[in-house]
Amino acid sequence: MSEKTEDLDNYLDNHYIHRSNWLRAAVLGANDGILSTASIAIGVAAASDMREPVILATLAGLVAGALSMAAGEYVSVSSQTDVEKADIEREKSELNEMPEIELQRLAEIYEKRGLQKETALTVAKELTEHDALGAHIRDELGINEISQAKPMQAAFASGAAFTIGGLLPFLVTLFLPLKSMEYSLYGFALFFLIILGALAARTGGSSIGKAILRITFWGTVAMGLTALVGYMFNVNVG
């Protein structure tokens, strides 16, 4: 019996939805890290004939971007957490003040999902007896362990991923020839984005081809527009 339970747990662990929270933050962070730092470097390289301004601008963008991503994720996900907590507190009050109405509301939810009216009411009663608040949080509010907001996890994943992604184009500005630097940055950034798209798709169980196409298209647009700005202003930063 214990072996069957363990097998079931292992089977459920394989579902990709369990990775959605940290994967979203990590992919967003790495993608932004590659694109932001590469775009900054391309824009400055297009308007400069010296390496130092390119390196300085890229490093500043890397540090500022990583901190901004981490702080932004923490603030936004914390706001979601505050909303979830407020709704849970409200649900507690409603269960205390009008338990019968809440029971009927829960039964209606199950009925809309396809259960017979009597069956839905029976299920609602049994779940209410077991854990009334948990049932309403899950089925009325739509909050569960997978979708529940985790600010620190999102902040760390985004900040760390941005740093890793941003380091790649930064290394290009350090070691590749200054001549045609913007083209080298574009080529390497595109290569990095393709790898990121493939890894993200494989981790999430989605189409690798679609992920690569999506990430390279928008990456090209972002870097191309930034390079255009550098060429249009044609300011010698050196």
Side-chain angles (χ1 to χ4, degrees):
M1 184 66 180
S2 60
E3 291 181 0
K4 290 183 178 180
T5 303
E6 185 177 349
D7 290 341
L8 180 61
D9 289 339
N10 292 335
Y11 167 75
L12 292 175
D13 285 342
N14 291 328
H15 286 291
Y16 297 111
I17 192 65
H18 292 277
R19 306 170 180 172
S20 60
N21 276 341
W22 65 264
L23 181 61
R24 178 199 62 82
V27 170
L28 176 63
N31 180 74
D32 203 16
I34 295 171
L35 274 181
S36 296
T37 53
S39 296
I40 290 172
I42 288 172
V44 178
S48 174
D49 56 2
M50 295 181 65
R51 185 182 299 273
E52 287 76 10
V54 180
I55 294 175
L56 180 60
T58 307
L59 180 60
L62 170 59
V63 175
L67 295 175
S68 177
M69 280 294 294
E73 278 289 331
Y74 182 81
V75 170
S76 63
V77 178
S78 292
S79 298
Q80 180 184 340
T81 303
D82 292 340
V83 172
E84 291 176 354
K85 288 180 179 178
D87 270 345
I88 291 172
E89 289 302 318
R90 179 180 175 182
E91 199 62 39
K92 285 181 182 178
S93 299
E94 290 176 348
L95 283 169
N96 290 328
E97 295 170 4
M98 41 187 180
E100 290 299 323
I101 295 177
E102 287 297 301
L103 177 64
Q104 290 299 323
R105 185 177 296 171
L106 198 61
E108 289 172 4
I109 292 172
Y110 299 141
E111 190 176 348
K112 288 178 181 177
R113 292 180 182 176
L115 294 180
Q116 295 292 330
K117 189 171 184 177
E118 296 78 7
T119 306
L121 184 58
T122 301
V123 171
K125 286 180 178 178
E126 291 184 2
L127 288 176
T128 298
E129 291 173 1
H130 175 68
D131 182 7
L133 181 61
H136 282 271
I137 289 173
R138 181 182 62 252
D139 296 318
E140 186 179 345
L141 301 181
I143 301 172
N144 55 51
E145 292 181 359
I146 297 173
S147 65
Q148 194 169 21
K150 298 175 182 177
M152 288 302 297
Q153 183 190 66
F156 179 79
S158 290
F162 187 102
T163 301
I164 294 171
L167 279 174
L168 299 175
F170 178 67
L171 292 174
V172 173
T173 65
L174 286 177
F175 299 111
L176 264 69
L178 184 61
K179 186 179 180 180
S180 302
M181 172 69 76
E182 55 268 38
Y183 299 108
S184 299
L185 282 163
Y186 170 74
F188 274 94
L190 205 62
F191 175 69
F192 299 146
L193 288 172
I194 289 172
I195 293 176
L196 174 64
L199 287 174
R202 184 175 178 83
T203 305
S206 57
S207 170
I208 293 177
K210 287 182 180 179
I212 291 175
L213 183 63
R214 181 170 58 237
I215 204 167
T216 52
F217 172 77
W218 289 110
T220 299
V221 170
M223 289 183 287
L225 290 175
T226 310
L228 182 62
V229 171
Y231 281 118
M232 283 177 59
F233 284 92
N234 195 26
V235 178
N236 193 325
V237 186

